[in-house]
Amino acid sequence: MGKDRLACAEGEKIVPEVMKPATSFTVGVNRAAVSRYAMDDRADFADVDRGLIAGWPDGQVHNDQGDLALDEHITAYIADDAPAPGSVNPSLWRQSQLIKRTGLYKVVDGLYQVRFSANLTIVDAPEGLVIIDTTTSTELAKAGLDLFRTALGNDKPVAAVIYTHTHFDHYAGVKGVVDEADVATGKVPIVAPGTIASFDKYAIGENVIAGNAMSRRMAYTFGLLLPHCDTGLVTVGLSGGYDGMRNVISYISPTDPITRTGEVRNLGGWDFEFLYAPDTEAPEEMHIWIPAIKALTCAENANHSMHNIQTIRGARTRDARNFARYLDESLVRWGDQVAVHYGPHTWPVWGHDDVVTFLESQRDMYKYIHDQSLRLANQGLTPLEAAEVIELPAAIGRRWYNRYYHGGLHHNVRGVFHKELGFWDGDPATIFPLLPDETAKRHVRLIGRDKIIAEGREAIASGDYRWAVQILHHLVFADPADTEAKNLQADAYEQLGYQAEVPQYRAIFLTAAMELRGGVQTAGKVSTDTQDTILAMPIDLLFDFVGVHIIGDQAASIDIQLNLTFTDASSKWTMWVRNGVLNARQGHADHAQLTITGPKAALAGVLLQPAQAEAIIAKAGLETDGDLSVLQTLAAVTDTFDPDFNISTP
Ligand SMILES: [Zn+2]
């Protein structure tokens, strides 16, 4: 993906005026920040390299077409011994020095990891390999397994695959390590948390139904449009951000569901014991204990980072209390025996005492956020007021693995409020407010543009960037053509980005600055609605996805009904659009205007792109019976989504 990035290091400026240097205020803030961190604790630098067996030739991985699937050179500017530049928070810089590493590592005898943005974990069990999580793409999963086989001369077959949770960076590479036919015949089980229907629903549904909004927000939060450099993206904190989001995302449904804690499977000759941990970092998640090697993973519920209670890219809010609950349950079950903890991101923790301290500390971090947020809510504070005052106690906050590389304390406090109290912050002025552009216009009318510009300049000149952003926001939203205001606001966003410890805040601020200066760029779309995900989508979810495309007010005047027969799923459905709403039910209706019969992939194409229905029907040889003009009626009320909608301007 590196070839698609702007390269600020080489001076290739695609966007005008991108990336100014850090101001003296920002340099000062970043210098002072070190007092918050345990800078002299360097143990992680030894641990991150522990067990290294092999890296990639030339630091690169290519796919079958010869395109780059991973390029370590992208992070080369993050030198191991380089001090943090003035434009990077020192804690984020340090974490980036650690997580930029990739390659094959031995964790303990019988347990290996190929570290990417998301790790491929390989258990070398007596009778076969057990793959725990399959990283972000088929290319990297395949390359990782090949590296393991070549470096260790190990040609044992893959005996099983385990998904720890429903996020794509943990299942997307599955077809790089296992043949779908071997899963279908039951030769290679795929073990995963939750029922199969639930895993499918969250793996696919969480990313697709609101997928366009999520993709655009992901471009902002993970800096997908930014160059990799010390005034651009400096890793995404939990992962390097150097491997291709455009590689192939595959999916195979699980075959062996884990729905109870204490369930055991014998895989490759070793027992694996599971702790079911739903509604934590993902809707379906589980922890895994391998007694033969006393190795534990708490999946993404324990990391070298604070995780998101509310992910900013956009997903349902998580339960901080559950993170703590299941971490403690893991300590109760295995805490007296555990010798090593390994995760699906970052590097392991070795040694019984250190693992116990790590899990206890992460448990307490999540519980502290949960309990203090609700204590202050009960005192009458609003989410923003609570987020401004809650600090972690030093015993928790000075441990590197509790720092804000994925989640941030500020937005996680707001996340707890959201989870427990919903979206309203408790201020009557926010329950039915004017829109931001309307509010902005009235502020500008009342205060005057010149006064706001002067105030914004003064705030920037004195390093008061938070205020500068807020006051200038009125000008930008009142008149998005006001270049002077946009450039000033970009200057303020940029310095806030340089000061942020949370890489997602940095990416949001810097992307906003870039788009305010140069307009919306169009390279960062991450598509999770691939052929595999559409095919794996449960049919009811497919109709949900079609339903969110219906333009309600226009559809209110139509009344259509279609019957559909999904030949490969052996199921019949009827769907109708009436009152501006799409509904669907199993079974055929008596009075449908049209019946279409064919495989799911083609029917999905017809429903999602009714304007191209005739071509799809002809190409796929679908059987139809009835009035085909119904599809044109449907096309007329089906929306398309702009992948590059405005964020930093109205
Ligand atoms: Zn992940």
Side-chain angles (χ1 to χ4, degrees), residues 118 165 167 169-170 238 281 300 345:
H165 63 289
H167 291 151
D169 51 326
H170 305 278
L238 194 60
E281 186 266 340
E300 266 192 69
H345 295 280

Side-chain angles (χ1 to χ4, degrees), residues 325-523:
R325 174 174 293 134
Y326 292 121
L327 288 176
D328 197 58
E329 217 177 302
S330 298
L331 282 162
V332 169
R333 294 185 83 87
W334 305 303
D336 56 341
Q337 299 177 64
V338 65
V340 65
H341 182 279
Y342 60 97
H345 295 280
T346 68
W347 61 97
V349 177
W350 286 270
H352 172 266
D353 293 356
D354 285 349
V355 173
V356 169
T357 302
F358 166 65
L359 295 177
E360 286 177 347
S361 190
Q362 290 246 300
R363 172 199 64 195
D364 291 349
M365 179 259 291
Y366 290 117
K367 188 133 193 320
Y368 191 90
I369 295 170
H370 175 271
D371 290 358
Q372 295 311 306
S373 300
L374 294 179
R375 179 178 71 83
L376 295 182
N378 284 325
Q379 294 283 12
L381 274 71
T382 64
L384 274 179
E385 289 167 342
E388 199 70 25
V389 297
I390 293 178
E391 289 286 349
L392 295 178
I396 297 172
R398 290 182 75 85
R399 291 196 181 274
W400 285 114
Y401 44 64
N402 293 330
R403 296 308 310 175
Y404 315 156
Y405 308 124
H406 202 56
L409 182 59
H410 192 271
H411 76 264
N412 276 345
V413 168
R414 296 162 80 185
V416 173
F417 272 77
H418 196 264
K419 182 79 175 172
E420 301 301 328
L421 293 166
F423 76 92
W424 185 45
D425 65 3
D427 178 348
T430 69
I431 195 68
F432 190 50
L434 292 169
L435 288 180
D437 59 339
E438 190 56 35
T439 307
K441 283 175 190 150
R442 296 182 193 207
H443 272 89
V444 176
R445 204 163 65 212
L446 185 67
I447 303 168
R449 180 182 178 280
D450 293 350
K451 234 177 164 176
I452 296 178
I453 287 276
E455 180 70 11
R457 282 191 189 285
E458 173 60 30
I460 289 169
S462 59
D464 192 358
Y465 304 118
R466 283 174 88 181
W467 172 235
V469 160
Q470 278 188 259
I471 190 74
L472 290 163
H473 184 265
H474 293 314
L475 287 182
V476 174
F477 268 62
D479 178 11
D482 188 336
T483 305
E484 186 184 13
K486 283 195 293 186
N487 284 337
L488 280 173
Q489 199 188 26
D491 290 350
Y493 275 141
E494 190 166 53
Q495 298 304 317
L496 285 176
Y498 293 161
Q499 294 175 18
E501 182 180 14
V502 183
Q504 299 181 47
Y505 301 178
R506 178 183 177 96
I508 289 169
F509 287 138
L510 295 187
T511 306
M514 188 176 77
E515 292 196 344
L516 284 170
R517 289 170 181 149
V520 172
Q521 304 299 303
T522 54

